[in-house]
Amino acid sequence: EIRYPDKIIRDGAAMSVGFGGTASTDPSGSMGRKEVVYSLDVDQVDRLIATIFRATPFNPAFFSGKLTSEARRLLGEGNKWLK
């Protein structure tokens, strides 16, 4: 449903991105409508990517080598899974 958002365009959705469990799952402010709620926790995405790298022979440096120093800093900021 997220990939092909016809229903989202028609019916609306509440979406939230957060860090460490701060993504909201409460569609407050939706003016009484029953919208689908999508929450993305960046910490969980970091955990997934770290698990993939630990379970495969892929080299993280290959994928992060072309990042700017600012991008590397932001990737590591608060990322307990990056080691």
Side-chain angles (χ1 to χ4, degrees):
E1 292 180 7
I2 293 174
R3 188 175 206 168
Y4 303 104
D6 293 342
K7 287 183 183 179
I8 292 173
I9 293 169
R10 184 185 67 229
D11 301 331
M15 299 181 188
S16 175
V17 176
F19 294 86
T22 62
S24 174
T25 57
D26 177 24
S28 60
S30 62
M31 301 191 320
R33 293 175 46 176
K34 296 289 182 186
E35 297 171 329
V36 177
V37 178
Y38 296 101
S39 302
L40 176 72
D41 187 330
V42 176
D43 185 56
Q44 294 300 310
V45 174
D46 290 341
R47 183 175 134 214
L48 172 64
I49 299 303
T51 301
I52 290 169
F53 276 119
R54 289 184 184 122
T56 64
F58 299 126
N59 181 356
F62 173 80
F63 294 94
S64 62
K66 294 192 185 246
L67 296 176
T68 66
S69 60
E70 178 68 2
R72 280 194 296 280
R73 184 187 69 76
L74 291 171
L75 179 63
E77 189 173 292
N79 188 342
K80 66 183 178 185
W81 304 100
L82 187 63
K83 295 178 184 167

